[in-house]
Amino acid sequence: MEYWKKKGAMALLLLAMVGSLVGCATGPMTSPGWGGLGISEDTLYLASSQGKVFALDAESGVQKWVYPPGEKEARGPFYSAPTVVDDLVFVSSHAGAVHALDTGTGLERWTFETEKGFVGAPAVVDGEVYVGNSDGKVYALDAISGWTKWEFETGNWLWSSPVVDGGHVYVASMDHKMYCLDRSTGQKVWESEVGGAIPGTPLLADGTLYFGALDKKLYAMDASSGSVHWEFEAESWNWGTPVLVDGTLYIGSLDHRIYALEAASGRKQWDLELDGAVLAGATYADGSLYVATDGGTIYALGVSTHSPKWTFSVEGRILVPPVVSGDYVGVNSMESGLYVLVAESGLQRWASAPDGK
Amino acid sequence: MSSQSKKLGKGQGGSQDLPQISPKQIRKTLLYVLLAVAAVILFQYISPGDLWNLVIFRPMLNSLLFLYQIFGRNVVWSIVIFTVLVRLLTLPLTMKQLRSSRVMQELQPEMDALKKKYASNKDKLQQETMKLYKEKGVNPMGGCLPMLVQFPIWIGLYQSIIQLLSDDPLQLLKLAQNIYMNYPSLSQLLPLNSRFFWLDLGRPDPYYILPILVAGTMWAQQKMMTPPSADSQQASMNQSMQLMMPLMFGYITLQYASGLALYFVVSNIVGMAIQFAIAGSGGLRGLLPGSKVAARPASIAKGDGRGKEKDVAKKER
């Protein structure tokens, strides 16, 4: 009997451990998004990790509107930055919807829904919205009505934003391929495979696509043919969009470094170790490169000096690129909210946690 | 060392009053103290979370990726092979569990006798019971060790499945910290193909087939492992445990990634195969077609396994 009592107690203990630790130690199956920031003139748009879109006065931080308004159910989570074109702001949520909102009021003009979520931001060019989905498809929508013009399916998730240039749309897929599509029909012009999945949005400059992949490499690919000009290997994945300034390509890596490469050859010019992984790409303005890390630090780097002009630390991870407009820099921390800093000095102008973080 | 401890005992007023401490016990205690000190020193340099990642989680995650790479880029095969390997690695413990279970069964009449003899003296009963265990070389908790060893494997596997098969960017980002970057071929496998027939292995089974299989195979395995009991109270306790555990695990796998459920199903089937090879179909015998035997007395479980059991079945016929 003693044996059975002990065995029973042990079994109950085991059950309690399974029940509690499996649940607690691993967390929920779906995460919040990392939010996205967009800027237009005097308004900062935040698509929050909790599923709301906020329009804030960039000067003061005062909220202009929120979507959906009041206590209505959130639409998120959001991973992508809002895209502002004319009087519309386009947001794509991981819950599987693209919303076109009025920039002045936040009222919804239309919504386009899918079964899977969106990670990349919509690209809006000449009245057309191009957006990639986790169902592997890129959708071309009419910007006024939200109606689908065409769709093209790739072999895996599309987490990047499509890049539009002239008559072509370039799509980077997690199926390890870069696609070039005809912009008017959605027909494939060419596809080119690289060694890893491509999670981030490519940079298109001077007829070359620059992008990082999960094989730790940064690729320079000819935009007309898909042939690879050169590749550069970092020590971890390169996720964010590279930045090109005066023939030098800057790319942040998850190996906690920012690399400066010669754009023509891929040769490394210098690199700098930061306090955390750089998921988001850098942003360039007025001789400074603004880089944010998952350690919660924003760096303003002088591109000529290769050294920080200033740094500013916030609580939590920053996984989206800083936005720069005029003399201020905006960053969004996943854990502590929105910060707006003076671009020249890095001093804090205001901070806000509109979704109550 | 031995003579020294005897002298100490005598010097303090006689060995009959004080419990004897054997050199083996002293060595064991010293080892535990050393391990505790080592753990304290270790945690000065590394947090428990980092230690978990270093020792359990990252090797497990990368092993799954490696198996995925060599077994046709199929997650199901990778989980199945991984499970079989885990069961093979823990085979010595499983054997110990089976042996312990059998010896406990054999000791039952002697324990019943002790209970009758010392019905009014619980302390003495406990002492005598422990003495009996010691004589027979059995650890009463030994049967639970393989279950406890599997516990970190479940947690590690669950974490690995979530990170490897999730379609969530934040999970993929976490994966960057845990994948072995020195082996670029592992990163090149991403994202893994998590589809298998109706299943997305990173999500719960929408048709509840795997949770039902988890509960069914777990019930069958327990039925095989639990010896029948003549004591009605014990039998009732066995029965409720045999139901409660599978239902609980079935419920857990309803909520979580079906890849974890696949691990439980394969693990249970391998466990049943091991059990069958060593000790026959056990409590399932009575339920198998052509057999009317529902239970057998504990005493006939003596001997070593299947051959014996088959003999018993012949006798019963």
Short mmCIF file of all heavy atoms in Angstrom, two decimals, chain A residues 1 3-4 10 12 14-15 17-18 21-23 26 29 31-32 34 79 156-157 159 174 176 195 214 216 236-237 279, chain B residues 104 115 144 147-148 151 154-155 158-159 166-170 172-173 181 187-188 190-191 202 234 238 244 248 252 256:
data_model
loop_
_atom_site.label_atom_id
_atom_site.label_comp_id
_atom_site.label_asym_id
_atom_site.label_seq_id
_atom_site.Cartn_x
_atom_site.Cartn_y
_atom_site.Cartn_z
N MET A 1 0.82 -1.22 0.00
CA MET A 1 0.00 0.00 0.00
C MET A 1 0.85 1.27 0.00
O MET A 1 0.58 2.21 -0.75
CB MET A 1 -0.88 -0.04 1.25
CG MET A 1 -2.04 0.91 1.19
SD MET A 1 -3.15 0.50 -0.14
CE MET A 1 -4.01 2.02 -0.32
N TYR A 3 3.78 1.56 -1.19
CA TYR A 3 4.35 1.70 -2.53
C TYR A 3 3.38 2.42 -3.45
O TYR A 3 3.74 3.33 -4.19
CB TYR A 3 4.69 0.30 -3.05
CG TYR A 3 5.03 0.27 -4.51
CD1 TYR A 3 6.23 0.80 -4.98
CD2 TYR A 3 4.16 -0.30 -5.43
CE1 TYR A 3 6.54 0.77 -6.31
CE2 TYR A 3 4.47 -0.33 -6.78
CZ TYR A 3 5.67 0.20 -7.21
OH TYR A 3 5.97 0.16 -8.53
N TRP A 4 2.11 1.98 -3.38
CA TRP A 4 1.11 2.57 -4.27
C TRP A 4 0.83 4.03 -3.92
O TRP A 4 0.60 4.84 -4.80
CB TRP A 4 -0.18 1.75 -4.25
CG TRP A 4 0.04 0.43 -4.90
CD1 TRP A 4 0.09 -0.79 -4.32
CD2 TRP A 4 0.31 0.21 -6.28
NE1 TRP A 4 0.38 -1.75 -5.23
CE2 TRP A 4 0.51 -1.16 -6.46
CE3 TRP A 4 0.41 1.05 -7.40
CZ2 TRP A 4 0.79 -1.73 -7.69
CZ3 TRP A 4 0.68 0.49 -8.62
CH2 TRP A 4 0.87 -0.88 -8.76
N MET A 10 3.69 10.46 -6.67
CA MET A 10 4.67 10.80 -7.71
C MET A 10 3.96 11.13 -9.02
O MET A 10 4.33 12.08 -9.72
CB MET A 10 5.60 9.59 -7.90
CG MET A 10 6.98 9.94 -8.31
SD MET A 10 7.80 10.93 -7.07
CE MET A 10 9.08 11.62 -8.08
N LEU A 12 0.92 12.22 -9.38
CA LEU A 12 0.22 13.51 -9.25
C LEU A 12 1.20 14.67 -9.37
O LEU A 12 0.93 15.67 -10.03
CB LEU A 12 -0.51 13.58 -7.91
CG LEU A 12 -1.80 12.77 -7.84
CD1 LEU A 12 -2.36 12.79 -6.42
CD2 LEU A 12 -2.84 13.33 -8.81
N LEU A 14 3.98 14.64 -10.96
CA LEU A 14 4.39 14.70 -12.36
C LEU A 14 3.34 15.43 -13.20
O LEU A 14 3.67 16.27 -14.04
CB LEU A 14 4.56 13.27 -12.87
CG LEU A 14 5.36 13.13 -14.15
CD1 LEU A 14 6.81 13.44 -13.89
CD2 LEU A 14 5.22 11.73 -14.69
N LEU A 15 2.08 15.11 -12.93
CA LEU A 15 1.00 15.76 -13.68
C LEU A 15 1.01 17.26 -13.43
O LEU A 15 0.85 18.06 -14.35
CB LEU A 15 -0.35 15.19 -13.24
CG LEU A 15 -0.70 13.82 -13.81
CD1 LEU A 15 -2.01 13.34 -13.23
CD2 LEU A 15 -0.80 13.88 -15.32
N MET A 17 3.53 19.06 -12.56
CA MET A 17 4.70 19.64 -13.22
C MET A 17 4.45 19.81 -14.71
O MET A 17 4.75 20.84 -15.29
CB MET A 17 5.94 18.76 -12.99
CG MET A 17 6.53 18.89 -11.61
SD MET A 17 7.59 17.52 -11.22
CE MET A 17 9.05 17.93 -12.14
N VAL A 18 3.87 18.78 -15.31
CA VAL A 18 3.59 18.86 -16.75
C VAL A 18 2.63 20.00 -17.02
O VAL A 18 2.85 20.84 -17.89
CB VAL A 18 2.99 17.52 -17.26
CG1 VAL A 18 2.51 17.68 -18.69
CG2 VAL A 18 4.01 16.43 -17.18
N LEU A 21 4.55 23.57 -15.88
CA LEU A 21 5.76 23.98 -16.58
C LEU A 21 5.59 24.04 -18.09
O LEU A 21 6.07 24.96 -18.72
CB LEU A 21 6.92 23.05 -16.22
CG LEU A 21 7.58 23.37 -14.90
CD1 LEU A 21 8.65 22.37 -14.56
CD2 LEU A 21 8.18 24.76 -14.91
N VAL A 22 4.89 23.07 -18.67
CA VAL A 22 4.70 23.13 -20.13
C VAL A 22 3.99 24.42 -20.49
O VAL A 22 4.33 25.10 -21.44
CB VAL A 22 3.93 21.90 -20.65
CG1 VAL A 22 3.50 22.11 -22.11
CG2 VAL A 22 4.78 20.66 -20.57
N GLY A 23 3.01 24.77 -19.68
CA GLY A 23 2.26 25.99 -19.96
C GLY A 23 3.07 27.23 -19.68
O GLY A 23 3.19 28.09 -20.54
N THR A 26 6.91 27.95 -21.53
CA THR A 26 7.04 28.13 -22.97
C THR A 26 6.18 29.24 -23.51
O THR A 26 6.41 29.69 -24.61
CB THR A 26 6.67 26.83 -23.68
OG1 THR A 26 5.39 26.45 -23.23
CG2 THR A 26 7.65 25.75 -23.38
N MET A 29 1.31 30.27 -27.88
CA MET A 29 1.79 29.88 -29.20
C MET A 29 1.87 31.06 -30.15
O MET A 29 2.60 31.03 -31.10
CB MET A 29 0.88 28.80 -29.77
CG MET A 29 1.08 27.48 -29.08
SD MET A 29 0.12 26.19 -29.81
CE MET A 29 0.90 26.05 -31.39
N SER A 31 2.63 35.16 -30.62
CA SER A 31 3.28 36.27 -29.92
C SER A 31 2.62 37.57 -30.34
O SER A 31 1.93 37.62 -31.35
CB SER A 31 4.74 36.32 -30.33
OG SER A 31 5.30 35.05 -30.31
N PRO A 32 2.86 38.62 -29.57
CA PRO A 32 2.46 39.94 -30.06
C PRO A 32 3.38 40.31 -31.21
O PRO A 32 4.46 39.76 -31.34
CB PRO A 32 2.69 40.84 -28.85
CG PRO A 32 3.72 40.14 -28.06
CD PRO A 32 3.52 38.68 -28.28
N TRP A 34 5.82 43.13 -33.38
CA TRP A 34 6.81 44.08 -32.86
C TRP A 34 6.43 45.52 -33.20
O TRP A 34 7.17 46.44 -32.92
CB TRP A 34 8.22 43.75 -33.30
CG TRP A 34 8.43 43.46 -34.75
CD1 TRP A 34 8.11 44.27 -35.80
CD2 TRP A 34 9.04 42.30 -35.31
NE1 TRP A 34 8.48 43.68 -36.98
CE2 TRP A 34 9.06 42.47 -36.72
CE3 TRP A 34 9.58 41.13 -34.78
CZ2 TRP A 34 9.58 41.50 -37.58
CZ3 TRP A 34 10.10 40.18 -35.64
CH2 TRP A 34 10.09 40.38 -37.02
N TYR A 79 3.09 43.70 -37.30
CA TYR A 79 4.54 43.61 -37.46
C TYR A 79 5.05 44.69 -38.41
O TYR A 79 6.23 44.98 -38.44
CB TYR A 79 4.92 42.25 -38.05
CG TYR A 79 4.98 41.14 -37.03
CD1 TYR A 79 3.91 40.26 -36.86
CD2 TYR A 79 6.09 40.97 -36.23
CE1 TYR A 79 3.96 39.24 -35.94
CE2 TYR A 79 6.15 39.94 -35.30
CZ TYR A 79 5.08 39.09 -35.16
OH TYR A 79 5.13 38.08 -34.24
N ASN A 156 6.55 29.77 -50.25
CA ASN A 156 6.55 29.82 -48.79
C ASN A 156 6.09 31.21 -48.33
O ASN A 156 5.66 32.01 -49.16
CB ASN A 156 7.94 29.49 -48.24
CG ASN A 156 7.89 28.76 -46.91
OD1 ASN A 156 7.20 29.20 -45.99
ND2 ASN A 156 8.57 27.64 -46.80
N TRP A 157 6.20 31.47 -47.05
CA TRP A 157 5.72 32.75 -46.50
C TRP A 157 6.37 33.94 -47.21
O TRP A 157 7.54 33.89 -47.58
CB TRP A 157 6.06 32.88 -45.02
CG TRP A 157 5.75 31.69 -44.18
CD1 TRP A 157 4.65 30.87 -44.29
CD2 TRP A 157 6.55 31.16 -43.10
NE1 TRP A 157 4.72 29.88 -43.34
CE2 TRP A 157 5.87 30.04 -42.60
CE3 TRP A 157 7.74 31.53 -42.51
CZ2 TRP A 157 6.36 29.28 -41.54
CZ3 TRP A 157 8.24 30.79 -41.46
CH2 TRP A 157 7.55 29.68 -40.99
N TRP A 159 7.26 37.53 -46.04
CA TRP A 159 7.32 38.41 -44.87
C TRP A 159 7.89 39.78 -45.23
O TRP A 159 7.92 40.69 -44.41
CB TRP A 159 8.20 37.79 -43.77
CG TRP A 159 7.51 36.68 -43.03
CD1 TRP A 159 6.24 36.20 -43.25
CD2 TRP A 159 8.03 35.92 -41.94
NE1 TRP A 159 5.94 35.18 -42.38
CE2 TRP A 159 7.04 34.99 -41.56
CE3 TRP A 159 9.23 35.92 -41.26
CZ2 TRP A 159 7.21 34.08 -40.52
CZ3 TRP A 159 9.42 35.02 -40.21
CH2 TRP A 159 8.42 34.11 -39.85
N MET A 174 10.30 33.46 -48.45
CA MET A 174 10.96 32.54 -47.52
C MET A 174 11.23 31.18 -48.19
O MET A 174 11.78 30.28 -47.56
CB MET A 174 10.11 32.34 -46.27
CG MET A 174 9.95 33.60 -45.42
SD MET A 174 11.47 34.15 -44.65
CE MET A 174 11.43 33.18 -43.16
N HIS A 176 13.37 30.83 -50.32
CA HIS A 176 14.77 31.04 -50.73
C HIS A 176 14.88 31.72 -52.10
O HIS A 176 15.97 31.74 -52.67
CB HIS A 176 15.57 29.72 -50.78
CG HIS A 176 15.63 28.98 -49.48
ND1 HIS A 176 16.65 28.07 -49.20
CD2 HIS A 176 14.86 29.00 -48.38
CE1 HIS A 176 16.45 27.57 -47.99
NE2 HIS A 176 15.35 28.13 -47.48
N GLY A 195 20.86 30.84 -51.05
CA GLY A 195 21.08 29.77 -50.09
C GLY A 195 20.19 29.74 -48.86
O GLY A 195 20.23 28.79 -48.08
N LEU A 214 18.68 34.01 -44.53
CA LEU A 214 18.93 33.23 -43.31
C LEU A 214 20.14 32.29 -43.43
O LEU A 214 20.39 31.51 -42.53
CB LEU A 214 17.68 32.43 -42.93
CG LEU A 214 16.42 33.23 -42.58
CD1 LEU A 214 15.37 32.33 -41.94
CD2 LEU A 214 16.71 34.40 -41.65
N LYS A 216 22.98 33.58 -43.51
CA LYS A 216 23.94 34.54 -42.96
C LYS A 216 24.56 35.44 -44.03
O LYS A 216 25.46 36.20 -43.73
CB LYS A 216 25.08 33.82 -42.20
CG LYS A 216 24.60 32.89 -41.11
CD LYS A 216 25.71 32.51 -40.17
CE LYS A 216 26.77 31.66 -40.81
NZ LYS A 216 27.82 31.22 -39.89
N SER A 236 25.78 35.97 -38.41
CA SER A 236 24.41 35.52 -38.13
C SER A 236 23.51 36.02 -39.26
O SER A 236 23.99 36.51 -40.28
CB SER A 236 23.96 36.03 -36.76
OG SER A 236 22.70 35.48 -36.42
N TRP A 237 22.22 35.91 -39.05
CA TRP A 237 21.28 36.27 -40.11
C TRP A 237 21.25 37.79 -40.33
O TRP A 237 21.40 38.57 -39.40
CB TRP A 237 19.87 35.82 -39.76
CG TRP A 237 19.75 34.36 -39.51
CD1 TRP A 237 20.64 33.38 -39.85
CD2 TRP A 237 18.67 33.70 -38.84
NE1 TRP A 237 20.18 32.16 -39.45
CE2 TRP A 237 18.98 32.33 -38.83
CE3 TRP A 237 17.47 34.13 -38.27
CZ2 TRP A 237 18.13 31.38 -38.26
CZ3 TRP A 237 16.63 33.18 -37.70
CH2 TRP A 237 16.96 31.83 -37.70
N LEU A 279 17.84 43.76 -35.83
CA LEU A 279 16.85 43.09 -36.68
C LEU A 279 16.40 44.02 -37.79
O LEU A 279 16.33 43.66 -38.95
CB LEU A 279 15.64 42.66 -35.84
CG LEU A 279 14.54 42.02 -36.68
CD1 LEU A 279 14.85 40.56 -36.93
CD2 LEU A 279 13.19 42.14 -36.01
N MET B 104 9.06 -5.08 -6.52
CA MET B 104 8.05 -4.58 -5.58
C MET B 104 6.85 -5.52 -5.53
O MET B 104 6.27 -5.75 -4.47
CB MET B 104 7.58 -3.18 -6.01
CG MET B 104 8.61 -2.09 -5.87
SD MET B 104 9.27 -1.85 -4.21
CE MET B 104 7.87 -1.20 -3.39
N LYS B 115 3.07 -5.72 7.63
CA LYS B 115 1.98 -4.82 8.03
C LYS B 115 1.13 -5.46 9.12
O LYS B 115 0.72 -4.79 10.08
CB LYS B 115 1.11 -4.51 6.83
CG LYS B 115 1.57 -3.29 6.07
CD LYS B 115 0.68 -3.08 4.88
CE LYS B 115 1.46 -2.46 3.76
NZ LYS B 115 0.79 -2.58 2.48
N CYS B 144 10.08 5.71 -10.63
CA CYS B 144 9.63 7.01 -11.14
C CYS B 144 10.72 7.75 -11.91
O CYS B 144 10.45 8.72 -12.60
CB CYS B 144 9.16 7.88 -9.98
SG CYS B 144 7.86 7.09 -9.06
N MET B 147 10.45 8.42 -15.68
CA MET B 147 9.42 9.42 -15.97
C MET B 147 9.98 10.82 -15.73
O MET B 147 9.77 11.73 -16.52
CB MET B 147 8.20 9.22 -15.06
CG MET B 147 7.46 7.94 -15.30
SD MET B 147 6.29 8.13 -16.65
CE MET B 147 4.88 8.73 -15.77
N LEU B 148 10.72 10.97 -14.62
CA LEU B 148 11.27 12.28 -14.29
C LEU B 148 12.34 12.71 -15.31
O LEU B 148 12.43 13.87 -15.67
CB LEU B 148 11.87 12.28 -12.88
CG LEU B 148 10.85 12.22 -11.75
CD1 LEU B 148 11.54 12.13 -10.41
CD2 LEU B 148 9.94 13.45 -11.78
N PHE B 151 10.86 14.23 -18.32
CA PHE B 151 10.18 15.52 -18.16
C PHE B 151 10.92 16.68 -18.85
O PHE B 151 10.34 17.41 -19.65
CB PHE B 151 9.97 15.77 -16.67
CG PHE B 151 9.15 16.98 -16.41
CD1 PHE B 151 7.83 17.04 -16.83
CD2 PHE B 151 9.68 18.07 -15.76
CE1 PHE B 151 7.07 18.16 -16.61
CE2 PHE B 151 8.93 19.20 -15.53
CZ PHE B 151 7.61 19.24 -15.95
N TRP B 154 10.46 16.50 -22.54
CA TRP B 154 9.17 17.01 -23.05
C TRP B 154 9.22 18.53 -23.21
O TRP B 154 8.81 19.06 -24.23
CB TRP B 154 8.03 16.68 -22.08
CG TRP B 154 7.77 15.22 -21.89
CD1 TRP B 154 8.15 14.21 -22.72
CD2 TRP B 154 7.11 14.60 -20.79
NE1 TRP B 154 7.76 13.01 -22.21
CE2 TRP B 154 7.11 13.21 -21.02
CE3 TRP B 154 6.51 15.09 -19.63
CZ2 TRP B 154 6.53 12.31 -20.15
CZ3 TRP B 154 5.93 14.19 -18.76
CH2 TRP B 154 5.94 12.82 -19.01
N ILE B 155 9.73 19.18 -22.15
CA ILE B 155 9.76 20.65 -22.18
C ILE B 155 10.67 21.13 -23.32
O ILE B 155 10.29 22.00 -24.11
CB ILE B 155 10.30 21.22 -20.83
CG1 ILE B 155 9.40 20.80 -19.67
CG2 ILE B 155 10.43 22.74 -20.88
CD1 ILE B 155 8.09 21.48 -19.60
N TYR B 158 9.12 20.49 -26.66
CA TYR B 158 8.02 21.42 -26.93
C TYR B 158 8.57 22.78 -27.36
O TYR B 158 8.13 23.36 -28.36
CB TYR B 158 7.14 21.57 -25.68
CG TYR B 158 6.04 22.57 -25.90
CD1 TYR B 158 4.97 22.24 -26.71
CD2 TYR B 158 6.09 23.84 -25.35
CE1 TYR B 158 3.96 23.16 -26.96
CE2 TYR B 158 5.09 24.77 -25.59
CZ TYR B 158 4.03 24.42 -26.39
OH TYR B 158 3.05 25.33 -26.65
N GLN B 159 9.57 23.26 -26.64
CA GLN B 159 10.18 24.55 -27.00
C GLN B 159 10.78 24.48 -28.41
O GLN B 159 10.62 25.40 -29.21
CB GLN B 159 11.28 24.92 -26.00
CG GLN B 159 10.74 25.34 -24.65
CD GLN B 159 11.88 25.67 -23.69
OE1 GLN B 159 12.89 24.97 -23.65
NE2 GLN B 159 11.72 26.73 -22.94
N SER B 166 7.04 27.30 -35.86
CA SER B 166 6.11 28.41 -35.78
C SER B 166 6.20 29.28 -37.04
O SER B 166 7.26 29.42 -37.64
CB SER B 166 6.45 29.26 -34.56
OG SER B 166 5.65 30.40 -34.56
N ASP B 167 5.06 29.85 -37.42
CA ASP B 167 5.07 30.80 -38.54
C ASP B 167 5.07 32.23 -38.00
O ASP B 167 4.64 33.16 -38.67
CB ASP B 167 3.87 30.57 -39.46
CG ASP B 167 2.55 30.68 -38.73
OD1 ASP B 167 2.56 30.94 -37.51
OD2 ASP B 167 1.50 30.53 -39.38
N ASP B 168 5.55 32.37 -36.77
CA ASP B 168 5.56 33.66 -36.11
C ASP B 168 6.98 34.27 -36.19
O ASP B 168 7.95 33.63 -35.79
CB ASP B 168 5.17 33.42 -34.64
CG ASP B 168 4.95 34.71 -33.91
OD1 ASP B 168 5.83 35.58 -33.94
OD2 ASP B 168 3.90 34.85 -33.29
N PRO B 169 7.11 35.49 -36.70
CA PRO B 169 8.45 36.09 -36.83
C PRO B 169 9.23 36.18 -35.52
O PRO B 169 10.45 36.02 -35.51
CB PRO B 169 8.15 37.49 -37.38
CG PRO B 169 6.84 37.38 -38.04
CD PRO B 169 6.06 36.37 -37.26
N LEU B 170 8.53 36.43 -34.42
CA LEU B 170 9.25 36.54 -33.14
C LEU B 170 9.88 35.21 -32.73
O LEU B 170 10.96 35.18 -32.14
CB LEU B 170 8.32 37.05 -32.04
CG LEU B 170 8.19 38.57 -31.94
CD1 LEU B 170 7.11 38.95 -30.95
CD2 LEU B 170 9.51 39.21 -31.55
N LEU B 172 10.89 32.92 -34.84
CA LEU B 172 12.03 32.72 -35.74
C LEU B 172 13.23 33.54 -35.26
O LEU B 172 14.37 33.09 -35.33
CB LEU B 172 11.66 33.11 -37.17
CG LEU B 172 12.69 32.73 -38.23
CD1 LEU B 172 12.81 31.22 -38.38
CD2 LEU B 172 12.36 33.34 -39.58
N LEU B 173 12.93 34.71 -34.74
CA LEU B 173 13.98 35.56 -34.20
C LEU B 173 14.66 34.91 -33.00
O LEU B 173 15.89 34.94 -32.85
CB LEU B 173 13.37 36.91 -33.80
CG LEU B 173 14.32 38.03 -33.44
CD1 LEU B 173 15.24 38.34 -34.60
CD2 LEU B 173 13.53 39.28 -33.07
N MET B 181 25.07 28.48 -35.32
CA MET B 181 25.41 29.27 -36.51
C MET B 181 26.69 28.78 -37.18
O MET B 181 26.96 29.11 -38.33
CB MET B 181 25.56 30.75 -36.13
CG MET B 181 24.25 31.44 -35.84
SD MET B 181 23.26 31.67 -37.34
CE MET B 181 21.77 32.37 -36.64
N SER B 187 20.86 26.50 -40.80
CA SER B 187 20.07 27.70 -41.07
C SER B 187 19.43 27.63 -42.45
O SER B 187 18.34 28.16 -42.68
CB SER B 187 20.95 28.95 -41.02
OG SER B 187 21.20 29.31 -39.70
N GLN B 188 20.13 26.99 -43.36
CA GLN B 188 19.62 26.92 -44.74
C GLN B 188 18.37 26.05 -44.85
O GLN B 188 17.67 26.09 -45.85
CB GLN B 188 20.71 26.38 -45.66
CG GLN B 188 21.82 27.40 -45.92
CD GLN B 188 23.02 26.81 -46.61
OE1 GLN B 188 23.01 25.67 -47.04
NE2 GLN B 188 24.08 27.59 -46.70
N LEU B 190 15.78 26.34 -43.03
CA LEU B 190 14.59 27.09 -42.60
C LEU B 190 13.89 27.76 -43.77
O LEU B 190 14.56 28.16 -44.72
CB LEU B 190 15.01 28.15 -41.57
CG LEU B 190 15.68 27.58 -40.32
CD1 LEU B 190 16.23 28.71 -39.47
CD2 LEU B 190 14.71 26.74 -39.52
N PRO B 191 12.59 27.97 -43.68
CA PRO B 191 11.68 27.43 -42.67
C PRO B 191 11.35 25.96 -42.95
O PRO B 191 11.33 25.54 -44.10
CB PRO B 191 10.43 28.30 -42.85
CG PRO B 191 10.48 28.81 -44.24
CD PRO B 191 11.91 28.84 -44.64
N GLY B 202 3.24 22.39 -35.98
CA GLY B 202 3.47 23.50 -35.05
C GLY B 202 2.19 23.96 -34.38
O GLY B 202 2.21 24.87 -33.55
N GLN B 234 -6.24 -1.05 -3.83
CA GLN B 234 -5.13 -0.82 -4.77
C GLN B 234 -5.63 -0.87 -6.20
O GLN B 234 -5.25 -0.05 -7.04
CB GLN B 234 -4.07 -1.91 -4.59
CG GLN B 234 -3.10 -1.61 -3.48
CD GLN B 234 -2.08 -2.72 -3.31
OE1 GLN B 234 -1.82 -3.47 -4.24
NE2 GLN B 234 -1.53 -2.83 -2.13
N ASN B 238 -5.24 1.97 -8.93
CA ASN B 238 -4.59 1.73 -10.23
C ASN B 238 -5.47 2.18 -11.36
O ASN B 238 -5.04 2.83 -12.30
CB ASN B 238 -4.31 0.24 -10.43
CG ASN B 238 -3.26 -0.27 -9.48
OD1 ASN B 238 -2.64 0.51 -8.79
ND2 ASN B 238 -3.09 -1.59 -9.45
N MET B 244 -6.69 8.67 -15.36
CA MET B 244 -6.40 10.09 -15.16
C MET B 244 -5.20 10.56 -15.98
O MET B 244 -5.26 11.60 -16.64
CB MET B 244 -6.13 10.33 -13.68
CG MET B 244 -6.28 11.77 -13.27
SD MET B 244 -6.17 11.95 -11.51
CE MET B 244 -4.51 11.43 -11.17
N MET B 248 -5.28 13.37 -18.87
CA MET B 248 -4.53 14.61 -18.66
C MET B 248 -3.60 14.89 -19.84
O MET B 248 -3.56 16.00 -20.36
CB MET B 248 -3.71 14.46 -17.36
CG MET B 248 -2.94 15.68 -16.98
SD MET B 248 -4.00 16.88 -16.17
CE MET B 248 -2.81 18.17 -15.83
N ILE B 252 -3.63 17.93 -22.52
CA ILE B 252 -2.47 18.81 -22.78
C ILE B 252 -2.20 18.88 -24.28
O ILE B 252 -1.98 19.94 -24.85
CB ILE B 252 -1.23 18.29 -22.03
CG1 ILE B 252 -1.38 18.57 -20.53
CG2 ILE B 252 0.06 18.95 -22.55
CD1 ILE B 252 -0.35 17.86 -19.68
N TYR B 256 -1.65 22.04 -27.33
CA TYR B 256 -0.32 22.42 -27.81
C TYR B 256 0.02 21.80 -29.16
O TYR B 256 -0.73 21.00 -29.71
CB TYR B 256 0.73 22.06 -26.76
CG TYR B 256 0.60 22.92 -25.53
CD1 TYR B 256 -0.01 22.45 -24.37
CD2 TYR B 256 1.04 24.23 -25.54
CE1 TYR B 256 -0.16 23.25 -23.26
CE2 TYR B 256 0.90 25.05 -24.43
CZ TYR B 256 0.30 24.55 -23.29
OH TYR B 256 0.15 25.36 -22.20
#
